[in-house]
Amino acid sequence: MVETLIDKCPRIETERLVLRKWEERDLDGLVEMNSDPRVMEFFPDVMSRDESAHMHERLIAKQDELGFACPVVEDRASGRFLGFCGLNIPTYPKPLPFDPCVEMGWRLIPDAWGKGVAQEAAKIWLGFGFETLEVDEIVAFTTESNWRSQKLMQRLGMERNPADDFNHQMLEDDHPLVRHVLYRLNKDRFESVSKSWGDGKA
């Protein structure tokens, strides 16, 4: 599965967005986003500049190695860094209970919230994953208290089975964010739900 992703992340432009690979110039935008308490509400803490710089290095290295690393979302008119949204192959030091997998992930600056940016980008990358890369399933996960992300997963047609919920392996068992929910979308369901995306029903 991983091998099929190498060098296949295209640059995609819509009427208002540019979806593209990570570049060196994205560091300042990533630092600003990761230092915002509103953005990092459902993460253990905000990130320092050094921590974001390390994350930036890892994202670029991962996309060079695997082809994807939650591609950048950029405002087409202004060129402003809005965050990231797209396919990713998780590579935590400790494996997830459902590895190997292809994940849909996102993180956006507050100015981009409530405007359908993540939904627009996610739909494009889901289509690319199922139709071009021909993956069988794409997952998404978040802490169980993050209802905003869960609602987006639901709007994308993803489904949750409570039996799949898990404690994130990178957090202590008593951490308030340790419990995570898993949403799944397989190819058959994608083909069904995506038919309504063009008319505003999804």
Side-chain angles (χ1 to χ4, degrees):
M1 177 176 60
V2 171
E3 288 77 11
T4 67
L5 303 183
I6 295 175
D7 297 329
K8 290 190 176 181
C9 179
R11 176 187 174 95
I12 297 173
E13 295 190 11
T14 71
E15 184 175 340
R16 60 175 179 163
L17 303 177
V18 176
L19 312 178
R20 58 169 175 79
K21 287 186 175 183
W22 288 90
E23 300 174 7
E24 294 296 335
R25 63 188 171 100
D26 299 315
L27 175 57
D28 287 343
L30 184 64
V31 169
E32 180 180 357
M33 180 174 69
N34 287 344
S35 65
D36 191 320
R38 295 168 294 175
V39 175
M40 304 302 286
E41 178 182 1
F42 299 105
F43 293 87
D45 203 350
V46 296
M47 298 174 66
S48 68
R49 184 174 184 87
D50 285 347
E51 289 170 331
S52 286
H54 182 57
M55 177 181 177
H56 183 249
E57 291 173 359
R58 288 188 287 108
L59 287 165
I60 290 180
K62 179 184 282 191
Q63 76 181 9
D64 289 344
E65 178 184 359
L66 302 177
F68 286 93
C70 284
V72 169
V73 180
E74 178 183 289
D75 181 80
R76 183 176 177 180
S78 66
R80 185 182 184 188
F81 176 92
L82 299 181
F84 60 76
C85 178
L87 302 178
N88 180 52
I89 298 174
T91 52
Y92 292 105
K94 300 177 183 178
L96 292 161
F98 41 90
D99 275 344
C101 66
V102 175
E103 167 200 11
M104 174 63 65
W106 53 81
R107 189 181 305 176
L108 300 176
I109 63 172
D111 284 353
W113 294 0
K115 300 175 182 178
V117 171
Q119 183 168 327
E120 178 180 344
K123 285 178 177 180
I124 290 170
W125 287 122
L126 287 173
F128 186 76
F130 286 116
E131 296 168 356
T132 301
L133 301 180
E134 299 183 340
V135 300
D136 295 323
E137 180 183 70
I138 296 173
V139 305
F141 52 90
T142 187
T143 185
E144 63 181 1
S145 56
N146 187 354
W147 289 107
R148 290 196 302 269
S149 283
Q150 289 191 56
K151 287 178 180 178
L152 175 54
M153 295 170 192
Q154 293 163 10
R155 289 196 297 271
L156 294 171
M158 293 183 149
E159 296 181 308
R160 173 192 174 195
N161 181 346
D164 290 333
D165 292 355
F166 65 102
N167 285 358
H168 201 291
Q169 73 281 11
M170 300 305 293
L171 297 174
E172 297 294 331
D173 287 341
D174 60 352
H175 194 285
L177 299 177
V178 68
R179 196 64 179 166
H180 275 55
V181 296
L182 176 70
Y183 280 75
R184 299 178 183 267
L185 183 65
N186 62 33
K187 189 171 184 177
D188 288 342
R189 179 161 174 78
F190 166 77
E191 291 176 350
S192 175
V193 300
S194 63
K195 292 177 181 177
S196 66
W197 287 355
D199 57 19
K201 295 180 181 178

